[in-house]
Amino acid sequence: MKKRNQFWKGMLYGALAGGAISLLDKDTREVMKENILNVSKKGLYIVKHPQEVAEQIKETAIRIKETVEDVSEDISYITEKVEELRELTQK
């Protein structure tokens, strides 16, 4: 007979049980309710305005790329200056 690893099944059941028990607390239920409403509103916005969301993602990607390039240039400059200082201190 083939034995299966029950670890992930146990993890899932444990997470479900822990989540259910945590919902016994009124404050937790209220926070979860608010979170679910917020996520559903954002999801509806994305569904209704996919082009706008895609444009925002593109703009963010461009800004990240520019920032990485700037940091890379700064690191290159600093590395160059450190090398110059090493050469000067050796002389």
Side-chain angles (χ1 to χ4, degrees):
M1 201 181 250
K2 188 176 179 182
K3 287 187 176 183
R4 287 197 244 167
N5 188 345
Q6 300 293 319
F7 177 76
W8 294 112
K9 193 175 184 181
M11 288 287 290
L12 176 64
Y13 290 150
L16 291 173
I21 290 170
S22 70
L23 291 176
L24 294 175
D25 180 50
K26 184 179 180 179
D27 293 332
T28 302
R29 283 194 311 270
E30 291 297 320
V31 169
M32 288 303 299
K33 183 178 164 183
E34 290 174 20
N35 287 341
I36 289 170
L37 288 174
N38 287 338
V39 168
S40 64
K41 285 179 186 177
K42 289 179 184 178
L44 285 174
Y45 182 81
I46 290 171
V47 169
K48 290 181 180 179
H49 305 94
Q51 191 64 33
E52 184 178 330
V53 173
E55 200 59 41
Q56 290 173 351
I57 291 171
K58 286 178 188 175
E59 289 173 7
T60 301
I62 290 169
R63 283 196 306 262
I64 289 170
K65 181 181 175 188
E66 290 172 351
T67 301
V68 168
E69 289 172 354
D70 289 346
V71 169
S72 178
E73 289 174 8
D74 291 346
I75 289 172
S76 295
Y77 177 78
I78 291 170
T79 303
E80 182 181 310
K81 292 301 175 185
V82 167
E83 288 300 319
E84 287 177 14
L85 283 172
R86 281 185 185 163
E87 290 175 11
L88 286 175
T89 57
Q90 287 177 357
K91 293 178 181 178

